Amino acid sequence: MNRLTQSEKESLKQLLRLECTFTLSDEVMDALLDTGVTRRLARGEAIIKAGDIDGNIYFIIDGIARHWYWNGNREKTAFFSQAGTMLISYHSYYFNKGSFYSIEACCPTRILCVKKDIYDRFVNEYHDFSNWCLSMAQCQIFFFEMKNRIIAGTAKERYISFLKNRPDILNQVQLKSIASYLDVTPQYLSKLRKMKL
């Protein structure tokens, strides 16, 4: 089984501390991360597929993932996740239903998988861990709302905002995925990229 090295664990802990406002003790965070198994993903490889029941918890060690769904007959990218982000299918975790989103790697990506039963045990055994989970959920809602505030306006305004707020994604993610996120065609996104903004 592949486990995190000590330096990878320290790096992931630092990133996770930036994801929410509650600071979990090193002791509990180390114990949680030590239970996980790492996995390497190629671009386009699924972490969770829409319709599958997967209640496990994933942490991005490095790389970028996108969360997408079918909107009629086209893919719609809902959001991107980067290193230090916790990934979860809430449909699967809470209600044992098929995932709404497909979550896939946008570039070579490494993730850490923590099994649902282990995560649940930590929730039950450590009060601080429960507080951390609540803070993580609240921060994910905040970031979802912030995305809707930032990526608004005309197509050009959405693109400019994307460049300003998520420039690191632009060179690692396929244009069709970014176009889907910005709700424009890939052709129009190419035109926007050629403009001097």
Side-chain angles (χ1 to χ4, degrees):
M1 282 201 244
N2 297 327
R3 302 288 184 185
L4 289 174
T5 66
Q6 188 61 36
S7 64
E8 289 172 333
K9 185 165 50 171
E10 291 304 319
S11 176
L12 185 55
K13 282 165 43 180
Q14 289 294 79
L15 291 168
L16 287 169
R17 285 187 180 111
L18 299 173
E19 280 289 300
C20 71
T21 56
F22 185 87
T23 302
L24 187 62
S25 73
D26 278 339
E27 178 186 357
V28 175
M29 182 61 78
D30 285 342
L32 176 74
L33 297 180
D34 286 343
T35 69
V37 176
T38 65
R39 186 171 136 209
R40 290 186 186 277
L41 301 159
R43 183 176 79 183
E45 192 173 347
I47 300 166
I48 299 174
K49 293 180 182 175
D52 287 356
I53 298 173
D54 184 340
N56 295 322
I57 312 302
Y58 299 92
F59 298 93
I60 299 179
I61 302 165
D62 56 59
I64 300 171
R66 78 175 180 121
H67 305 240
W68 66 273
Y69 62 96
W70 286 105
N71 184 9
N73 61 353
R74 66 185 182 96
E75 289 181 11
K76 173 63 178 153
T77 300
F79 47 95
F80 296 101
S81 297
Q82 295 176 278
T85 303
M86 183 174 80
L87 307 175
I88 184 172
S89 165
Y90 290 105
H91 280 71
S92 296
Y93 180 81
Y94 289 105
F95 299 108
N96 201 37
K97 294 185 181 228
S99 178
F100 174 70
Y101 292 113
S102 285
I103 306 173
E104 69 180 24
C106 294
C107 57
T109 299
R110 285 187 65 224
I111 58 172
L112 180 75
C113 175
V114 175
K115 296 290 186 187
K116 181 184 187 305
D117 60 330
I118 294 171
Y119 192 84
D120 289 345
R121 180 170 53 82
F122 273 73
V123 169
N124 291 324
E125 289 181 10
Y126 301 101
H127 179 72
D128 281 357
F129 187 75
S130 297
N131 287 334
W132 180 78
C133 292
L134 175 62
S135 183
M136 285 294 278
Q138 290 169 332
C139 286
Q140 286 186 342
I141 292 167
F142 166 78
F143 285 121
F144 185 73
E145 288 181 2
M146 186 175 76
K147 176 249 179 183
N148 289 333
R149 179 178 55 85
I150 290 172
I151 304 296
T154 66
K156 185 177 178 181
E157 290 168 337
R158 292 192 304 273
Y159 177 68
I160 290 169
S161 181
F162 182 78
L163 283 178
K164 179 181 172 188
N165 293 287
R166 304 300 295 269
D168 43 337
I169 290 177
L170 194 58
N171 294 323
Q172 298 183 66
V173 176
Q174 289 183 318
L175 287 183
K176 71 176 187 171
S177 296
I178 295 171
S180 167
Y181 177 74
L182 296 173
D183 207 20
V184 298
T185 65
Q187 296 79 10
Y188 189 70
L189 178 58
S190 291
K191 286 181 186 176
L192 287 171
R193 292 188 73 199
K194 290 175 186 171
M195 291 181 188
K196 297 202 181 217
L197 303 173

